[in-house]
Amino acid sequence: MSGMPWRILVADDDPTACLLTQAALGGSEFALVVVNNGSDALAEFERSSFDIALLDVEMPGLDGFEVCSAIRLARGDAFPVVLVTGRSDPEFLERADQLSARYMAKPVNWALLAAFLRSVLIAETR
């Protein structure tokens, strides 16, 4: 990292999850933009520059898959997207793979979230 915080787009319709994400990623290493739905996530993605997107899969309106698909159209497969989900079924895994998205299982291990995102970001910049 070059001294600048990594910019993270966070989209989750659960206010508690948003607060916990902000608490887990607080400090100077990450700068978060938090929205509570997929439409706002896409608007923020188009408006600002981000280093990674952390998307809840199941949100009303546009879900995490739809937001990820739009990100792929705009930025390609190299832009890091992490889907947050309670699902682990074959359909989910296949869809995440097709979108070149990583995923994190719920319940989120908040103590490890920063390290996980850091590892994804470092891997993408190599």
Side-chain angles (χ1 to χ4, degrees), residues 100-112:
S100 300
R102 298 181 189 224
Y103 62 92
M104 173 175 279
K106 288 183 180 180
V108 172
N109 183 333
W110 300 109
L112 297 179

Side-chain angles (χ1 to χ4, degrees), residues 4-64:
M4 298 289 291
W6 278 309
R7 291 190 36 83
I8 301 176
L9 174 60
V10 178
D12 198 316
D13 62 317
D14 179 351
T16 302
C18 290
L19 288 172
L20 291 169
T21 301
Q22 289 171 311
L25 300 177
S28 61
E29 188 174 9
F30 302 105
L32 278 64
V33 173
V34 180
V35 297
N36 65 6
N37 64 69
S39 297
D40 287 350
L42 282 181
E44 285 295 333
F45 188 80
E46 292 170 359
R47 184 176 14 254
S48 300
S49 175
F50 293 96
D51 298 302
I52 191 169
L54 184 63
L55 308 172
D56 183 27
V57 171
E58 295 185 19
M59 295 183 284
L62 295 177
D63 65 21

